[in-house]
Coordinates of all heavy atoms in Angstrom, one line a residue:
G986 N -93.3 80.1 46.0 CA -93.0 80.1 47.4 C -92.3 78.7 47.8 O -92.7 77.7 47.3
R987 N -91.3 78.9 48.7 CA -90.6 77.8 49.2 C -91.2 77.4 50.5 O -90.5 76.5 51.2 CB -89.2 78.0 49.2 CG -88.7 78.1 47.7 CD -87.3 78.5 47.7 NE -87.1 79.9 47.9 CZ -86.2 80.7 47.6 NH1 -85.1 80.2 47.0 NH2 -86.1 81.9 47.9
G988 N -92.3 77.9 50.9 CA -92.9 77.5 52.2 C -92.0 77.6 53.4 O -91.2 78.4 53.5
S989 N -92.0 76.5 54.1 CA -91.2 76.3 55.3 C -89.8 75.8 55.0 O -89.2 75.4 55.9 CB -91.9 75.5 56.2 OG -92.1 74.2 55.7
G990 N -89.5 75.8 53.8 CA -88.2 75.3 53.3 C -86.9 76.1 53.9 O -86.9 76.5 55.1
P991 N -86.0 76.4 53.1 CA -84.8 77.0 53.6 C -85.0 78.3 54.4 O -85.8 79.1 54.1 CB -83.9 77.3 52.3 CG -84.8 77.1 51.2 CD -86.1 76.4 51.7
R992 N -84.1 78.4 55.5 CA -84.1 79.6 56.3 C -83.5 80.6 55.5 O -82.7 80.4 54.5 CB -83.3 79.3 57.5 CG -84.1 78.3 58.4 CD -83.1 77.9 59.6 NE -82.8 79.1 60.3 CZ -83.5 79.5 61.4 NH1 -84.4 78.8 61.9 NH2 -83.2 80.6 62.1
P993 N -83.8 81.9 55.8 CA -83.2 83.1 55.2 C -81.7 83.0 55.3 O -81.2 82.5 56.3 CB -83.8 84.3 55.9 CG -85.1 83.8 56.4 CD -84.9 82.3 56.8
P994 N -81.0 83.4 54.2 CA -79.6 83.1 54.2 C -78.7 83.7 55.3 O -77.7 83.1 55.6 CB -79.1 83.7 52.8 CG -80.3 84.7 52.4 CD -81.4 84.2 53.1
D995 N -79.0 84.8 55.9 CA -78.1 85.4 56.9 C -78.5 85.0 58.3 O -78.3 85.7 59.2 CB -77.9 86.8 56.8 CG -79.0 87.6 56.1 OD1 -79.9 88.1 56.8 OD2 -78.8 87.8 54.9
S996 N -79.1 83.8 58.5 CA -79.5 83.3 59.8 C -78.3 83.0 60.7 O -78.4 83.0 61.8 CB -80.5 82.3 59.7 OG -79.9 81.0 59.2
G997 N -77.2 82.7 60.0 CA -76.0 82.3 60.7 C -76.0 80.9 61.3 O -75.1 80.4 61.9
E998 N -77.1 80.1 61.0 CA -77.2 78.7 61.6 C -77.0 77.7 60.5 O -77.3 77.9 59.3 CB -78.6 78.6 62.1 CG -78.8 79.5 63.4 CD -80.2 79.4 63.9 OE1 -81.1 78.5 63.4 OE2 -80.6 80.2 64.8
D999 N -76.4 76.7 60.9 CA -76.0 75.6 59.9 C -77.1 74.6 60.0 O -77.2 73.8 61.0 CB -74.6 75.0 60.3 CG -74.2 73.9 59.4 OD1 -75.0 73.6 58.5 OD2 -73.1 73.3 59.7
P1000 N -77.8 74.3 58.9 CA -79.0 73.4 58.9 C -78.4 71.9 59.0 O -79.3 71.1 59.3 CB -79.6 73.6 57.6 CG -78.6 74.3 56.7 CD -77.7 75.0 57.6
L1001 N -77.2 71.6 58.7 CA -76.7 70.3 58.9 C -76.2 70.0 60.3 O -76.0 68.9 60.7 CB -75.5 70.1 57.9 CG -75.8 70.3 56.4 CD1 -74.6 70.1 55.6 CD2 -76.9 69.3 56.0
D1002 N -76.0 71.0 61.2 CA -75.7 70.9 62.6 C -76.9 70.5 63.4 O -77.9 71.2 63.5 CB -75.1 72.2 63.0 CG -74.6 72.1 64.5 OD1 -74.7 71.0 65.1 OD2 -74.2 73.2 65.0
P1003 N -76.8 69.2 64.0 CA -78.0 68.8 64.7 C -78.3 69.6 65.9 O -79.3 69.6 66.5 CB -77.7 67.3 65.1 CG -76.2 67.2 64.9 CD -75.8 68.3 63.9
G1004 N -77.2 70.5 66.4 CA -77.5 71.4 67.5 C -78.2 72.7 67.2 O -78.6 73.4 68.0
T1005 N -78.5 72.9 65.9 CA -79.2 74.0 65.4 C -80.6 73.9 65.7 O -81.2 72.9 65.4 CB -79.0 74.2 63.9 OG1 -77.6 74.3 63.6 CG2 -79.8 75.5 63.4
P1006 N -81.2 74.9 66.4 CA -82.7 74.7 66.7 C -83.5 74.7 65.4 O -83.1 75.4 64.4 CB -82.9 76.0 67.5 CG -81.8 77.0 67.3 CD -80.6 76.2 66.8
D1007 N -84.6 74.0 65.5 CA -85.6 73.9 64.4 C -86.0 75.5 64.1 O -86.4 76.2 65.0 CB -86.7 73.1 64.7 CG -86.2 71.6 64.7 OD1 -85.3 71.3 64.0 OD2 -86.9 70.8 65.3
P1008 N -86.3 75.7 62.8 CA -87.0 77.0 62.5 C -88.4 77.2 63.1 O -89.0 76.2 63.3 CB -87.0 77.1 61.0 CG -86.9 75.6 60.6 CD -86.2 74.9 61.7
L1009 N -88.7 78.4 63.4 CA -90.0 78.7 63.9 C -91.0 78.4 62.9 O -90.6 78.4 61.7 CB -90.1 80.1 64.5 CG -89.3 80.3 65.7 CD1 -89.2 81.8 66.0 CD2 -89.8 79.6 66.9
P1010 N -92.3 78.0 63.2 CA -93.3 77.7 62.2 C -93.4 78.8 61.1 O -93.8 78.4 59.9 CB -94.6 77.5 62.9 CG -94.2 77.3 64.3 CD -92.8 78.0 64.5
Y1011 N -93.3 80.0 61.4 CA -93.5 81.1 60.3 C -92.2 81.5 59.5 O -92.2 82.3 58.7 CB -94.1 82.3 61.1 CG -93.1 82.9 62.2 CD1 -92.0 83.6 61.8 CD2 -93.4 82.5 63.5 CE1 -91.2 84.2 62.9 CE2 -92.6 83.1 64.5 CZ -91.6 84.0 64.1 OH -90.7 84.5 65.1
E1012 N -91.1 80.9 59.9 CA -89.9 81.2 59.1 C -89.9 80.6 57.7 O -90.2 79.4 57.6 CB -88.6 80.8 59.9 CG -88.4 81.5 61.1 CD -87.1 81.1 61.8 OE1 -86.1 81.6 61.5 OE2 -87.2 80.2 62.8
G1013 N -89.3 81.3 56.8 CA -89.1 80.8 55.5 C -88.9 81.9 54.5 O -88.7 83.1 54.8
V1014 N -88.7 81.4 53.2 CA -88.5 82.4 52.0 C -89.6 82.1 51.0 O -89.7 80.9 50.7 CB -87.1 82.3 51.5 CG1 -86.9 83.3 50.3 CG2 -86.0 82.5 52.6
W1015 N -90.3 83.1 50.6 CA -91.3 82.9 49.5 C -91.0 83.9 48.4 O -90.6 85.1 48.7 CB -92.7 83.2 50.1 CG -93.1 82.2 51.1 CD1 -93.8 81.0 50.9 CD2 -92.7 82.2 52.5 NE1 -93.8 80.4 52.1 CE2 -93.2 81.0 53.1 CE3 -92.1 83.3 53.3 CZ2 -93.1 80.8 54.5 CZ3 -91.9 82.9 54.7 CH2 -92.5 81.7 55.2
R1016 N -91.2 83.5 47.2 CA -91.0 84.4 46.0 C -92.2 84.4 45.1 O -92.7 83.4 44.8 CB -89.7 84.0 45.3 CG -89.2 84.8 44.2 CD -87.9 84.3 43.7 NE -87.4 85.1 42.6 CZ -86.6 86.1 42.8 NH1 -86.3 86.6 44.0 NH2 -86.2 86.8 41.7
F1017 N -92.7 85.6 44.7 CA -93.8 85.7 43.8 C -93.3 86.5 42.5 O -92.5 87.4 42.7 CB -95.0 86.6 44.4 CG -95.4 86.1 45.7 CD1 -94.8 86.6 46.9 CD2 -96.3 85.1 45.8 CE1 -95.2 86.2 48.1 CE2 -96.8 84.8 47.0 CZ -96.2 85.2 48.2
T1018 N -93.7 86.1 41.3 CA -93.4 86.8 40.2 C -94.6 87.3 39.6 O -95.8 86.8 39.7 CB -92.6 85.9 39.1 OG1 -93.5 84.8 38.8 CG2 -91.3 85.5 39.6
A1019 N -94.4 88.5 38.9 CA -95.6 89.1 38.3 C -95.2 90.0 37.1 O -94.0 90.4 37.1 CB -96.3 90.1 39.3
P1020 N -96.1 90.3 36.2 CA -95.8 91.2 35.1 C -95.5 92.5 35.6 O -96.2 93.0 36.7 CB -97.0 91.1 34.1 CG -98.1 90.5 35.0 CD -97.5 89.7 36.0
A1021 N -94.7 93.3 35.0 CA -94.5 94.8 35.4 C -95.6 95.7 34.8 O -95.4 96.5 34.0 CB -93.2 95.2 34.9
V1022 N -96.8 95.5 35.4 CA -98.0 96.2 35.1 C -98.6 96.8 36.4 O -98.5 96.3 37.4 CB -99.0 95.5 34.2 CG1 -98.4 95.0 33.0 CG2 -99.5 94.3 35.0
D1023 N -99.4 97.9 36.2 CA -100.1 98.5 37.4 C -100.8 97.6 38.2 O -100.8 97.6 39.5 CB -101.0 99.6 36.9 CG -100.2 100.9 36.3 OD1 -99.0 101.0 36.7 OD2 -100.8 101.6 35.6
A1024 N -101.5 96.6 37.7 CA -102.4 95.7 38.4 C -101.6 94.8 39.3 O -102.0 94.3 40.4 CB -103.2 94.9 37.4

Side-chain angles (χ1 to χ4, degrees):
R987 291 176 280 203
S989 60
R992 294 174 58 96
D995 26 88
S996 67
E998 297 176 4
D999 182 358
L1001 300 177
D1002 178 4
T1005 302
D1007 289 334
L1009 295 169
Y1011 58 82
E1012 290 183 86
V1014 179
W1015 298 266
R1016 186 173 179 90
F1017 307 91
T1018 58
V1022 297
D1023 289 337

